Amino acid sequence: HKPRIRSKEKVLEIIEEITKNSGYEEISLFSLSTSDYPYLSDVVASVSKKFEEQAIGISLPSLRPKAYLGDVTQYLAKVRKSTLTFAPEAGSDRLRDFIHKDFDLEELYAAVLKAYQNGWQSVKLYFMLGLPSETDEDLDGIIEIAKKVSSLRKEAAGFPAEVTLSISFFIPKPHTGFQREPMAVAYSLFKKREYLRSRAKSLPRRIKLNFHNLETCLLEAAFSRGDRNLGKVLLFAYQSGCLLDSWPEHFNFQKWKDAFEKNNILLSFYARERSPEEILPWQHIIM
């Protein structure tokens, strides 16, 4: 499908209208792939110039590295420096190619170096654990990328940058090339998480690893590829007090396990591999 791209003029018009009526102090530029928006540099430069005196900042979501992004960072940094965020997803070119992730490490390093030269001090990187065909070498690659991104700041400012690794677990989703793939079993994901933690012990304190909650990911895997039988599980969990579960202090995995067990449904059933012959619950939906 041909992408629908808003003109630079329309985006600026919307931003000006929002700031008049909201009083917000930050403009976030979101899209399916923000770094592919052809007028990003022009929009960021125009917004920065227009709203600098009002101290309105600009932020971007996770990005694919592009050559021009390093120059964009000088405008993003004028009011306040939020963390630059990139999503390599995997630790090796082989695995990124396997999941069809268009991500050039050399462009990442060039953009990050330029950002450091513009005064940035921190970067966040998104990765996934449990991708199909993943090996320890792929996990080692995550550590090496983090070390490189941190050390690049020495060239610009004499000391390394703060790098946060936000690490989630791969969840096969409907209507993707991986919709029939199995999700790695919990024990395997636990081992991968501990492997990375052990490797991180030798890293500088400026590099931090944050892992998504494994138990919530297991539930997401079930409901992502679930069928109508999960309706009674959901109702049972709700009646058991499962509310506001996206807040860690309210999440109780044991209640969810009980909801599956009381309804004679295995949580692992929805994480399994699906054969080419199996009819999928969402197969009647035309995308």
Side-chain angles (χ1 to χ4, degrees):
H1 299 289
K2 185 178 180 180
R4 294 177 295 174
I5 298 173
R6 275 185 171 147
S7 68
K8 177 183 71 174
E9 292 74 21
K10 184 62 177 176
V11 172
L12 293 174
E13 178 187 326
I14 293 170
I15 290 173
E16 187 162 5
E17 190 67 23
I18 288 172
T19 55
K20 278 182 183 177
N21 296 296
S22 69
Y24 290 149
E25 297 180 348
E26 186 171 83
I27 299 294
S28 297
L29 302 175
F30 285 100
S31 74
L32 183 62
S33 181
T34 302
S35 50
D36 288 333
Y37 178 62
Y39 313 118
L40 182 61
S41 296
D42 292 339
V43 168
V44 170
S46 298
V47 172
S48 174
K49 183 178 180 180
K50 186 172 184 63
F51 296 108
E52 186 177 0
E53 289 185 4
Q54 297 169 246
I56 295 176
I58 310 166
S59 68
L60 299 176
S62 63
L63 303 164
R64 284 209 300 265
K66 301 289 182 181
Y68 65 81
L69 283 178
D71 296 320
V72 168
T73 59
Q74 65 180 305
Y75 301 109
L76 298 176
K78 279 191 174 182
V79 175
R80 65 181 65 86
K81 300 181 184 71
S82 56
T83 301
L84 276 180
T85 304
F86 297 93
E89 305 290 7
S92 69
D93 289 334
R94 178 200 67 81
L95 192 50
R96 282 190 294 276
D97 288 342
F98 182 77
I99 63 174
H100 306 292
K101 177 69 176 184
D102 177 18
F103 195 94
D104 189 310
L105 281 183
E106 293 309 313
E107 285 194 332
L108 168 67
Y109 298 144
V112 165
L113 178 58
K114 187 71 174 180
Y116 293 151
Q117 292 168 346
N118 287 325
W120 291 75
Q121 300 181 26
S122 59
V123 172
K124 178 183 282 188
L125 301 173
Y126 282 113
F127 289 97
M128 284 192 288
L129 287 187
L131 288 162
S133 81
E134 185 178 70
T135 66
D136 285 351
E137 287 74 20
D138 298 312
L139 303 184
D140 293 338
I142 294 175
I143 300 298
E144 295 307 312
I145 292 171
K147 287 165 63 175
K148 175 74 171 179
V149 168
S150 179
S151 64
L152 278 172
R153 193 166 188 271
K154 290 183 179 180
E155 299 179 30
F159 55 91
E162 294 181 0
V163 176
T164 300
L165 303 182
S166 182
I167 303 172
S168 62
F169 300 95
F170 169 71
I171 299 171
K173 294 293 177 68
H175 308 292
T176 71
F178 297 102
Q179 64 180 357
R180 294 181 182 273
E181 291 285 333
M183 182 178 178
V185 296
Y187 177 69
S188 171
L189 294 173
F190 175 81
K191 284 183 63 178
K192 291 174 184 290
R193 183 179 65 187
E194 295 312 300
Y195 179 85
L196 274 185
R197 282 177 172 165
S198 67
R199 286 293 320 275
K201 290 179 180 178
S202 62
L203 294 175
R205 274 191 274 178
R206 287 180 170 272
I207 300 177
K208 300 176 182 178
L209 277 66
N210 292 332
F211 292 91
H212 289 204
N213 185 290
L214 176 54
E215 293 171 337
T216 58
C217 289
L218 295 174
L219 284 178
E220 183 181 341
F223 284 102
S224 292
R225 297 194 297 174
D227 52 26
R228 67 188 64 188
N229 289 319
L230 288 182
K232 53 190 177 184
V233 174
L234 188 61
L235 178 60
F236 189 97
Y238 166 73
Q239 292 172 337
S240 301
C242 292
L243 300 170
L244 306 175
D245 282 39
S246 61
W247 295 3
E249 62 268 31
H250 292 282
F251 179 68
N252 186 325
F253 188 53
Q254 186 57 52
K255 288 183 178 180
W256 283 100
K257 288 172 65 177
D258 292 344
F260 276 88
E261 290 171 5
K262 294 293 184 181
N263 288 281
N264 299 313
I265 295 175
L266 292 174
L267 181 59
S268 59
F269 175 78
Y270 295 100
R272 78 193 193 286
E273 183 177 8
R274 314 295 172 94
S275 72
E277 295 77 28
E278 181 176 349
I279 297 175
L280 304 173
W282 55 90
Q283 207 161 310
H284 62 288
I285 299 173
I286 306 299
M287 294 293 286

